[in-house]
Amino acid sequence: MEIESPKAQPRKKSRTGAAVGTIITLFLLSIYCYYYRTDMLDIRFIRENKDIVAAAAKKKHIAFDVDELIALDEKRRALMAASEAKRAEQNAANSSIASAISADDRARLISSMKTVKTDLEKAETELKEIMKAWQDLMLRVPNIPDMSVPEGDSDADNKEVKVWGEKTAFSFEAKDHIELMTNLKMVDFERAAKVHGFRGYYLTGDGARLCFAIWSYAMDFFSGKGFTPIMPPAIVRKIFLYGTGYLPGDANDFYTIQDGDVLAGTAEVPLMAMHSEEILDLAELPKRYLGFSPSYRREIGAHGKDVKGLIRVHEFQKFEQVVICEANHETSVRTHEELNRNTEEFIESLGIPYHTVINCGGDLGIGQVKKYDIELWVPKEGKYREISSASYFHDFQCRRLNIRYKDAAGKMNYCHSLNSTAIPTPRILVSLVENFQQADGTIRVPEALVKYLGKNAIQ
């Protein structure tokens, strides 16, 4: 899953002092949350820890003014108090009118009540406007990144934490996936451009069969990890993009259809939405889902990038791991490592070289506490390309979606949530066909896929 990446900021010559201050602030936060299990990002927490929230925004390179929110919250609280006072005054006046003995007393009380009613309506109208602005700012409050998240402006500053496999080398002039798949009639870009336009593709023949083989293998592999397979709806209500943290952000990256509904860019959105406004049974946790769905992204911010082939396309299919668990930091950390490792194991079983990076602060979305990216080796380009992202959120998403449970002591808690790409198609075909190409232009099929595809070579 990808959340809107904040715009990179100009790199300053020296940030040592500021970085140390941010690190200390976030370190204190980690201690505070560990011992007190604070519900993150409610307004009380923000008011009491504005420096920590400001440090989180700075580390994530997200433009957010916490002082503006707190000032607006002061107005909201004052107007709420004023409205309550006027409403109490109105109720008292109603009682007095009902018990008034004389007509003159009743008329006088009714006249005075009109003034109270007018004042109440004015206060409630002003409160309504303030609430809209307040809610908008609350949706923009960034979650607090983990202490292990490195400093950095953009994905260029992500840190490599693991390398697996030798980079594929050939004794012949290697071809890219476009040439390989076109020659073997696995894809048709020319007709797709006629029908779909920019970033369109037809998978044909063994291109389609190879995707089906990957899907079948992924279903067996990840089901064996204890996930329940689900095929969720791809059309979702826009409110669930706010609930999962994709909005507010770059709304232009989503396809909006009738009635304001949206085509989801990942199964994460409908899988999290499935339990919105629910109180889950502690015994049912963790919920472990393997979602498979079509996914849609407009790639508005990617014009000029990867304009050819299957790297960035508007519609694709993807398996997604989603976990909803109890509100425990250690559980989230452990599960995050597990989800990322699941995808690493899947890639290793295919024999594709990869490396794993930990995303820097500037490459985290608004809700993510920590994220790993797995990137596959693409021989013709001589670089690694992202294939998977694994993130955890603490209670950020579940608080927005109101997903809760009662702990053993009977206390109500917001759940924690995590997600990780299991495998996306057709993007994985890029690395697969390039790494397994042969000198004669054929493609060797990874051993794990042979029984699903029914042959050991595409030719």
Side-chain angles (χ1 to χ4, degrees):
M1 165 218 65
E2 294 296 327
I3 297 180
E4 172 195 8
S5 298
K7 294 182 179 178
Q9 301 294 318
R11 187 182 296 274
K12 297 178 180 179
K13 292 183 179 179
S14 176
R15 299 182 294 180
T16 304
V20 170
T22 299
I23 290 171
I24 292 173
T25 301
L26 293 175
F27 175 69
L28 292 174
L29 168 69
S30 66
I31 295 175
Y32 185 84
C33 293
Y34 181 87
Y35 285 106
Y36 296 101
R37 307 299 184 202
T38 299
D39 288 334
M40 302 290 285
L41 303 177
D42 64 359
I43 188 59
R44 184 177 66 176
F45 175 86
I46 296 167
R47 291 173 62 87
E48 295 175 353
N49 301 276
K50 69 175 189 176
D51 290 343
I52 290 170
V53 175
K58 182 177 181 181
K59 187 165 188 175
K60 288 188 172 186
H61 296 265
I62 293 175
F64 178 76
D65 188 343
V66 66
D67 289 326
E68 180 185 359
L69 172 59
I70 291 175
L72 196 62
D73 188 55
E74 293 288 354
K75 293 181 181 178
R76 179 187 71 95
R77 287 151 61 95
L79 283 169
M80 287 177 67
S83 295
E84 287 301 318
K86 290 295 181 184
R87 192 171 291 107
E89 190 177 345
Q90 185 183 54
N91 291 338
N94 285 334
S95 297
S96 297
I97 291 170
S99 60
I101 298 175
S102 69
D104 289 343
D105 286 343
R106 189 177 294 109
R108 176 176 53 79
L109 289 170
I110 291 174
S111 178
S112 64
M113 192 181 72
K114 289 181 179 179
T115 302
V116 174
K117 182 180 180 182
T118 300
D119 291 343
L120 176 59
E121 289 176 349
K122 181 180 178 181
E124 289 183 336
T125 298
E126 189 174 356
L127 177 60
K128 185 178 180 180
E129 294 303 314
I130 290 292
M131 281 298 297
K132 287 180 181 178
W134 181 82
Q135 288 168 347
D136 179 67
L137 284 180
M138 284 293 290
L139 286 172
R140 299 177 186 276
V141 181
N143 205 355
I144 313 299
D146 189 79
M147 279 297 301
S148 60
V149 171
E151 298 285 344
D153 297 338
S154 68
D155 58 0
D157 298 313
N158 293 343
K159 304 300 181 184
E160 183 178 83
V161 294
K162 180 178 182 179
V163 178
W164 186 89
E166 296 291 331
K167 295 176 180 177
T168 309
F170 301 99
S171 59
F172 54 89
E173 180 63 31
K175 300 179 177 66
D176 66 17
H177 75 283
I178 299 173
E179 184 176 0
L180 285 165
M181 295 181 70
T182 300
N183 290 345
L184 293 170
K185 294 182 170 42
M186 297 173 69
V187 70
D188 189 332
F189 291 113
E190 185 175 345
R191 290 187 174 93
K194 174 180 67 177
V195 175
H196 172 87
F198 185 51
R199 302 189 190 281
Y201 63 94
Y202 280 102
L203 290 180
T204 58
D206 282 334
R209 294 187 187 95
L210 186 55
C211 271
F212 276 102
I214 292 169
W215 298 341
S216 297
Y217 177 45
M219 177 65 75
D220 289 346
F221 183 93
F222 288 96
S223 294
K225 299 289 185 179
F227 290 90
T228 300
I230 294 183
M231 295 181 68
I235 300 173
V236 299
R237 294 175 178 171
K238 194 172 184 178
I239 190 173
F240 295 119
L241 293 180
Y242 286 94
T244 47
Y246 285 93
L247 293 177
D250 190 359
N252 290 328
D253 203 29
F254 299 99
Y255 287 98
T256 301
I257 58 174
Q258 294 93 335
D259 303 320
D261 292 342
V262 176
L263 299 179
T266 169
E268 170 200 349
V269 177
L271 288 179
M272 288 300 301
M274 182 167 63
H275 291 296
S276 62
E277 303 297 335
E278 290 186 15
I279 298 175
L280 304 179
D281 189 335
L282 177 60
E284 297 177 352
L285 298 179
K287 299 282 191 181
R288 296 169 61 89
Y289 296 135
L290 178 67
F292 177 74
S293 70
S295 302
Y296 303 90
R297 298 179 187 174
R298 295 182 66 192
E299 296 288 0
I300 292 296
H303 282 304
K305 296 181 180 180
D306 313 315
V307 294
K308 295 181 179 180
L310 299 174
I311 296 291
R312 285 182 203 273
V313 292
H314 290 150
E315 52 185 322
F316 52 98
Q317 304 79 35
K318 182 161 70 77
F319 280 96
E320 185 80 9
Q321 304 171 83
V322 170
V323 173
I324 299 173
C325 64
E326 63 180 306
N328 181 279
H329 175 68
E330 291 82 0
T331 300
S332 279
V333 170
R334 183 176 63 252
T335 306
H336 183 226
E337 298 292 330
E338 175 200 339
L339 296 185
N340 189 69
R341 181 60 190 146
N342 288 345
T343 303
E344 287 181 341
E345 288 181 357
F346 184 83
I347 298 302
E348 289 170 13
S349 72
L350 295 177
I352 302 175
Y354 71 87
H355 77 168
T356 301
V357 300
I358 180 173
N359 294 57
C360 69
D363 197 31
L364 287 183
I366 188 173
Q368 293 163 334
V369 176
K370 184 176 179 179
K371 180 168 72 167
Y372 290 123
D373 282 350
I374 298 173
E375 300 176 339
L376 306 188
W377 179 247
V378 181
K380 186 61 177 177
E381 288 187 287
K383 66 187 294 185
Y384 289 104
R385 286 282 194 175
E386 180 193 331
I387 199 68
S388 169
S389 291
S391 306
Y392 73 92
F393 298 81
H394 282 150
D395 66 1
F396 184 91
Q397 293 180 324
C398 292
R399 178 179 291 277
R400 292 180 172 212
L401 294 167
N402 199 26
I403 304 174
R404 297 174 293 166
Y405 72 98
K406 283 185 179 179
D407 62 21
K411 179 185 176 183
M412 195 73 74
N413 296 275
Y414 290 101
C415 298
H416 281 192
S417 66
L418 309 92
N419 63 68
S420 176
T421 314
I423 207 67
T425 57
R427 180 178 283 203
I428 190 176
L429 300 185
V430 174
S431 292
L432 193 155
V433 301
E434 288 196 23
N435 280 285
F436 286 89
Q437 63 180 294
Q438 307 297 298
D440 61 358
T442 61
I443 298 168
R444 182 167 57 88
V445 176
E447 184 176 348
L449 296 178
V450 170
K451 74 172 185 177
Y452 297 98
L453 188 63
K455 54 185 176 182
N456 57 21
I458 297 174
Q459 54 192 0

